Amino acid sequence: ERMAEFNWTENSKAVFEEAIKSAPLPFRSVTKKSFTKGLTKEVGEGGEVREEHVVKVIKATSPAPFVGQGLKAIEPHLTDPSILDN
């Protein structure tokens, strides 16, 4: 299955990849799929992805125990870490 194409802005691609890396190894491909699906829903195919979209998708699609871990992993990569507070 091909990966959806997005127009990554700011540091969103790095944030997306770090979030996936923070998932436990056996769950990474399913995490990537659910994040990609969430982003497609959020911005549309080929849409412009901003960091806050990735944060929103992490919060919306990650199992509760992993949300904090995911957000902590991406924090150093955010151009504006205050979006985590939204």
Side-chain angles (χ1 to χ4, degrees), residues 47-83:
E48 187 175 278
V49 177
R50 294 195 309 274
E51 293 172 13
E52 70 243 37
H53 296 131
V54 181
V55 170
K56 194 171 173 183
V57 165
I58 291 168
K59 288 179 175 177
T61 63
S62 300
F66 297 114
V67 173
Q69 183 181 319
L71 297 179
K72 197 177 159 150
I74 64 170
E75 190 169 4
H77 303 277
L78 294 172
T79 39
D80 176 11
S82 77
I83 63 173

